[in-house]
C-alpha cells in the first residue's frame, strides 16, 4: 500500500462523519445494500486511493472550496490502512446480513461505526493509531 501524497486532515474527518451517518442508518435499518455500498467506499479509499473515494469527491467539490486553505497535512498511509480495516468490518457485516447471520452483521457494523464515530466526533482515528502501533512493532529490514 503506497502512501501517496499527504492529505488535508479535514477531508478524512468529513468522510468519517458521512461514514458514521451511513453506518448508523445501517444499524437502525439492517439494510445490507447500504452497508455493501459503504464497503465499496472503504475499498476505493483503501485500495485505489483516498482521493478517488466518493466521499473525498464530495468533500473536494462541495466542502473544501468553502473553507480557508490549510497548510496542515497528514500522511496518507495510516488513513488508507484505516480504510482497509473499515473495509474488512463492513465486508464481514455485509456477509453477516446477507447470510442472515444478523448478529454478525450487527456486531461488525457496530465496530466500524464505533471507529468512524471516534474520528468524526473526537478526531481520533483508531485505524491510524493501529497502523502506527503495528509500524512501531514490525521488524525493519536493512540493506546489506
Amino acid at each position: 500500500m503506497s502512501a501517496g501524497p499527504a492529505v488535508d486532515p479535514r477531508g478524512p474527518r468529513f468522510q468519517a462523519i458521512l461514514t458514521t451517518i451511513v453506518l448508523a442508518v445501517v444499524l437502525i435499518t439492517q439494510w445490507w445494500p447500504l452497508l455493501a455500498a459503504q464497503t465499496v467506499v472503504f475499498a476505493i479509499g483503501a485500495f485505489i486511493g483516498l482521493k478517488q473515494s466518493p466521499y473525498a469527491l464530495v468533500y473536494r467539490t462541495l466542502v473544501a472550496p468553502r473553507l480557508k486553505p490549510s497548510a496542515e497535512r497528514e500522511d496518507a498511509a495510516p488513513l488508507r490502512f484505516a480504510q482497509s480495516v473499515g473495509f474488512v468490518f463492513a465486508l464481514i457485516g455485509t456477509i453477516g446480513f446477507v447470510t442472515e447471520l444478523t448478529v454478525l452483521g450487527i456486531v461488525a457494523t457496530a465496530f466500524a461505526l464505533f471507529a468512524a464515530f471516534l474520528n468524526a466526533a473526537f478526531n481520533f482515528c483508531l485505524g491510524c493509531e493501529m497502523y502506527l502501533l503495528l509500524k512501531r512493532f514490525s521488524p525493519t529490514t536493512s540493506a546489506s
Side-chain angles (χ1 to χ4, degrees):
M1 235 187 278
S2 67
V7 297
D8 178 347
R10 299 174 298 180
R13 189 156 188 205
F14 172 79
Q15 293 176 51
I17 293 168
L18 294 181
T19 301
T20 297
I21 294 166
V22 168
L23 294 175
V25 169
V26 169
L27 277 181
I28 292 166
T29 64
Q30 296 182 13
W31 191 45
W32 70 263
L34 183 58
L35 184 55
Q38 179 62 52
T39 304
V40 171
V41 170
F42 280 136
I44 293 169
F47 306 116
I48 297 174
L50 296 171
K51 287 187 176 184
Q52 287 73 28
S53 167
Y55 296 165
L57 177 63
V58 171
Y59 175 78
R60 276 195 319 275
T61 58
L62 300 178
V63 178
R66 291 166 173 73
L67 301 174
K68 290 182 180 180
S70 173
E72 186 180 356
R73 292 290 176 255
E74 203 169 74
D75 184 12
L79 296 166
R80 288 188 69 174
F81 179 81
Q83 292 288 298
S84 66
V85 172
F87 167 76
V88 169
F89 279 103
L91 181 62
I92 291 169
T94 301
I95 292 168
F97 285 122
V98 168
T99 60
E100 297 183 8
L101 296 170
T102 306
V103 172
L104 177 63
I106 290 170
V107 169
T109 303
F111 275 117
L113 173 59
F114 177 72
F117 177 76
L118 283 177
N119 196 352
F122 304 108
N123 200 23
F124 181 81
C125 177
L126 188 58
C128 299
E129 294 301 322
M130 287 173 48
Y131 172 87
L132 296 172
L133 192 63
L134 289 170
K135 190 169 180 168
R136 174 184 284 168
F137 290 108
S138 64
T140 57
T141 57
S142 60
S144 301

